[in-house]
Amino acid sequence: MTMTMTMTMSRYALALMLLLSPALVMAQDPPAAAPPAAATDPADPAAPQGLCASDPELQKIADSNPQVAQCCQQFDAMLGDINTVLSQGFTALVPVLGCLTLPPIELSSTCYNDLLSSGANCFNEMNVMLDFFNSSGLLDAALDAATGSGDNATIPTPEEFEKIALDYLPTAMDELKTITGSDQINPVCCQSVSKLVADKCACEKTPMSFLDGMLEKKGLKISDYIGLAKTVMGKMGCDAANDLQVYPQCTA
């Protein structure tokens, strides 16, 4: 168990957290043999909205930037087929990673490459994180946060999220041990997270301001989850997040 545990935690702790901007990795089991969803009328205000459609500022950018519009479509398609994300794990997220370099996020090329490296080197750890969100039943709140629907009451408080995460941690460690033979974060993954921290990727103003804005709409703050990220990673044998700084509280 970031962008990154994080979207809502902070995808930088890592590669547990920026991907959580948007929050696309939280998922829960759907009812067995659920009937196909009925077609919705775009004019119906109760109909689910896509990523761009739910955010006027993002929609404005998408209207003038075909690449951003395509990213929104990819993201919406992913949310519409969340079981594929669960079955493929981090691999399913790869198509949208490039979107992080586009407006309004505009992650630097250095941190984008760091993120790709973390995704590859922390593959098993990130899949365990996906299972955490799946097993803990946090999908609805995450999808609401991503699309701007729902109400804030469905989102766990930082204290509630910390309890859920720490209660699940032994399960996550057992799962990781089953996969890799060890219940600790692998050293190469830990080194990749160290690179993200050393390059101060969570201190980049543009992407972090965007993430802050998304979370603040739901009454959340990244800073409320940094301590938990450090605790979880520490308990799993990696101290890479100990020096994590997050914009605007960054020093040279």
Side-chain angles (χ1 to χ4, degrees):
M1 229 152 67
T2 77
M3 178 160 70
T4 314
M5 307 197 128
T6 149
M7 218 14 280
T8 341
M9 230 179 72
S10 164
R11 178 55 178 127
Y12 277 107
L14 282 106
L16 301 183
M17 258 166 113
L18 183 55
L19 223 54
L20 297 182
S21 153
L24 50 89
V25 297
M26 302 181 179
Q28 86 182 9
D29 294 325
T40 56
D41 181 354
D44 180 1
Q49 291 184 304
L51 178 64
C52 283
S54 66
D55 188 322
E57 294 183 11
L58 189 55
Q59 183 64 63
K60 185 176 181 180
I61 296 173
D63 289 342
S64 62
N65 188 321
Q67 288 181 294
V68 174
Q70 183 178 14
C71 284
C72 285
Q73 293 173 358
Q74 289 176 306
F75 181 76
D76 293 342
M78 185 176 297
L79 290 184
D81 188 17
I82 202 69
N83 285 333
T84 296
V85 176
L86 291 175
S87 63
Q88 295 182 359
F90 181 78
T91 303
L93 307 179
V94 172
V96 298
L97 290 182
C99 300
L100 300 178
T101 64
L102 300 173
I105 301 177
E106 299 181 287
L107 188 68
S108 71
S109 59
T110 295
C111 288
Y112 173 65
N113 287 326
D114 287 350
L115 191 61
L116 289 180
S117 176
S118 293
N121 295 327
C122 303
F123 182 84
N124 291 315
E125 288 80 358
M126 293 184 70
N127 285 343
V128 169
M129 179 195 69
L130 284 171
D131 283 344
F132 159 67
F133 285 113
N134 180 37
S135 300
S136 60
L138 291 169
L139 173 63
D140 290 340
L143 298 186
D144 286 349
T147 62
S149 59
D151 59 69
N152 292 2
T154 63
I155 301 175
T157 65
E159 294 77 17
E160 291 169 339
F161 187 88
E162 179 172 353
K163 185 179 187 309
I164 293 170
L166 293 180
D167 286 350
Y168 189 84
L169 184 57
T171 299
M173 295 176 71
D174 286 344
E175 181 180 350
L176 186 62
K177 186 173 182 178
T178 298
I179 297 172
T180 69
S182 172
D183 62 2
Q184 302 291 285
I185 293 173
N186 82 78
V188 178
C189 170
C190 189
Q191 185 176 9
S192 294
V193 175
S194 294
K195 182 73 162 55
L196 276 165
V197 174
D199 287 340
K200 294 188 178 295
C201 293
C203 289
E204 293 196 352
K205 180 178 180 179
T206 299
M208 296 311 294
S209 294
F210 170 78
L211 180 55
D212 276 334
M214 293 285 287
L215 296 180
E216 285 176 2
K217 292 176 183 178
K218 292 297 179 179
L220 303 175
K221 294 182 179 179
I222 295 175
S223 58
D224 291 338
Y225 300 91
I226 299 304
L228 175 59
K230 294 178 180 181
T231 297
V232 169
M233 296 191 72
K235 287 181 177 294
M236 297 183 76
C238 178
D239 62 1
N242 286 357
D243 296 325
L244 176 66
Q245 299 179 32
V246 177
Y247 176 85
Q249 298 174 324
C250 297
T251 58

